[in-house]
């Protein structure tokens, strides 16, 4: 018995193979149908649709009494509370304290995490000495170190900044180290053929290739810094958004808590948007090479 192997028919030919009596689509019709299956271009500010829907449900629930005002204040109550806190200067005081802690911890974490990643990613001895402890730290929750760090550093500002920095260090190290050690071997072979020195190869190929991972680490780090901040500000803090929210919890002031959460969310989104913008500008050369 003889079997004949044949190449599969092109997609366009299969698209034109239809049942008898059915009009055959013209050339390019299959392509148009395939394109319609893809995601459509999002309309402007489409990501706000879900937020606006959530606010509408919240407002309707508050108006109808379905939502208990003692547990979740109405949106207009939260806005009024925010205006009062701003007019008295209380919100600004707490915001500045939180921003100071987050910025200092973030800065130390970025510098230390990036430096460790570069040493471990570019040297064998650094990888042997650094990667293991960092991976071990990654398996230990940063907030789980709070009792030990309180024992070592007390409950002052140093303790809070160190906790924030530790979380940032892990994010920066993991992402940057992974980018440094996953350079395509084709680039290595090309550099060897061209006779590039190791220093030139690192400067021209490795470090630029690691930039996407570096920026991803920045974005994860800034989010982690805000998440850690709200916890540490509940430990013997005098000022800060977290302290303001914990005090409001004691007095059942859900509107103040919601104001604090809103500020955290706004700063989180703004910081991530700024990093996205810087990333696009810094990595614009990749689009030029791709074109």
């Amino acid at each position: 018995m003889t079997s004949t192997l044949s190449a599969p028919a092109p997609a366009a030919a299969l698209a034109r193979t239809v049942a008898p009596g059915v009009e055959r689509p013209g050339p390019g019709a299959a392509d148009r149908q395939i394109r319609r299956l893809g995601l459509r271009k999002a309309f402007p500010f489409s990501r706000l649709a879900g937020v606006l829907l959530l606010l509408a449900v919240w407002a309707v629930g508050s108006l109808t009494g379905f939502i208990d005002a003692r547990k979740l204040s109405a949106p207009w109550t939260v806005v009024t509370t925010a205006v009062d806190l701003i007019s008295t200067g209380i919100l600004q005081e707490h915001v500045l304290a939180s921003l100071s802690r987050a910025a200092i911890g973030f800065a130390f974490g970025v510098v230390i995490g990036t430096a460790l990643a570069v040493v471990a990613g570019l040297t064998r001895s650094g990888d042997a000495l650094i990667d293991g402890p960092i991976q071990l730290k990654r398996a230990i929750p940063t907030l789980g170190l709070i009792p030990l760090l309180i024992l070592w550093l007390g409950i002052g500002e140093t303790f809070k900044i160190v906790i924030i920095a530790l979380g940032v260090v892990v994010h920066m190290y993991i992402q940057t180290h992974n980018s440094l050690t996953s350079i395509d071997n084709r680039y290595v072979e090309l550099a060897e053929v061209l006779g590039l020195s190791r220093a030139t190869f690192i400067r021209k190929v490795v470090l630029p290739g690691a930039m996407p991972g570096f920026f991803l680490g920045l974005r994860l780090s800034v989010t982690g810094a805000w998440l850690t901040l709200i916890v540490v500000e509940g430990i013997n803090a005098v000022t800060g958004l977290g302290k303001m929210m914990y005090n409001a919890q004691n007095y059942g002031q859900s509107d103040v808590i919601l104001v604090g959460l809103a500020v955290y969310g706004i700063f989180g989104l703004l910081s991530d948007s700024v990093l996205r913008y810087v990333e696009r500008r810094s990595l614009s050369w990749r689009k030029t090479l791709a074109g």
Side-chain angles (χ1 to χ4, degrees):
M1 183 176 184
T2 304
S3 60
T4 303
L5 298 177
S6 59
L14 291 175
R16 290 194 295 270
T17 303
V18 294
V22 179
E23 182 180 354
R24 297 169 180 264
D31 294 337
R32 289 195 297 273
Q33 292 175 358
I34 292 174
R35 282 197 293 269
R36 282 198 294 269
L37 294 176
L39 293 176
R40 302 295 181 87
K41 185 177 180 181
F43 56 86
F45 308 106
S46 59
R47 293 184 177 180
L48 293 177
V51 177
L52 294 176
L53 177 61
L54 182 62
L55 290 175
V57 172
W58 180 16
V60 172
S62 299
L63 279 173
T64 58
F66 182 78
I67 298 177
D68 189 352
R70 293 171 299 179
K71 297 181 179 180
L72 184 63
S73 301
W76 44 88
T77 304
V78 175
V79 173
T80 303
T81 301
V83 172
D84 292 340
L85 290 174
I86 292 173
S87 62
T88 57
I90 295 176
L91 186 60
Q92 294 92 312
E93 179 185 4
H94 290 302
V95 166
L96 288 176
S98 294
L99 284 176
S100 175
R101 294 187 185 107
I104 296 174
F106 179 77
F108 276 111
V110 168
V111 172
I112 296 172
T114 304
L116 292 175
V118 170
V119 174
L122 300 181
T123 64
R124 293 182 179 179
S125 58
D127 186 66
L129 295 174
I130 296 174
D131 191 64
I134 294 293
Q135 296 297 337
L136 178 62
K137 166 58 191 72
R138 185 179 67 157
I140 301 174
T142 300
L143 298 179
L145 296 174
I146 287 179
L148 185 61
L149 290 178
I150 289 178
L151 183 63
W152 290 352
L153 304 174
I155 52 179
E157 289 298 311
T158 302
F159 149 74
K160 298 175 178 61
I161 292 173
V162 169
I163 282 288
I164 296 171
L166 282 175
V168 173
V169 165
V170 173
H171 286 306
M172 291 304 306
Y173 176 87
I174 296 298
Q175 300 301 328
T176 308
H177 180 267
N178 180 68
S179 297
L180 288 171
T181 55
S182 60
I183 299 296
D184 196 324
N185 285 332
R186 292 177 298 177
Y187 296 131
V188 179
E189 295 171 357
L190 179 60
E192 292 174 350
V193 171
L194 295 176
L196 296 180
S197 64
R198 177 173 174 80
T200 303
F201 174 68
I202 291 174
R203 188 176 71 254
K204 297 290 187 179
V205 179
V206 177
L207 293 181
M211 291 301 291
F214 171 77
F215 278 107
L216 177 59
L218 282 178
R219 291 175 55 197
L220 293 174
S221 297
V222 73
T223 302
W226 286 113
L227 293 176
T228 307
L229 178 66
I230 192 173
V231 177
V232 298
E233 284 188 332
I235 303 175
N236 195 48
V238 178
T239 56
L241 289 171
K243 180 62 176 178
M244 181 185 76
M245 293 167 62
Y246 282 114
N247 288 339
Q249 174 193 357
N250 296 331
Y251 294 100
Q253 298 171 318
S254 63
D255 51 344
V256 177
I257 296 175
L258 289 171
V259 170
L261 291 175
V263 174
Y264 272 121
I266 291 171
F267 280 129
L269 289 175
L270 285 177
S271 55
D272 186 70
S273 299
V274 170
L275 289 176
R276 282 175 179 267
Y277 174 77
V278 175
E279 180 181 7
R280 287 196 301 268
R281 295 297 299 269
S282 302
L283 301 181
S284 59
W285 54 270
R286 300 181 69 193
K287 294 182 178 180
T288 303
L289 291 178

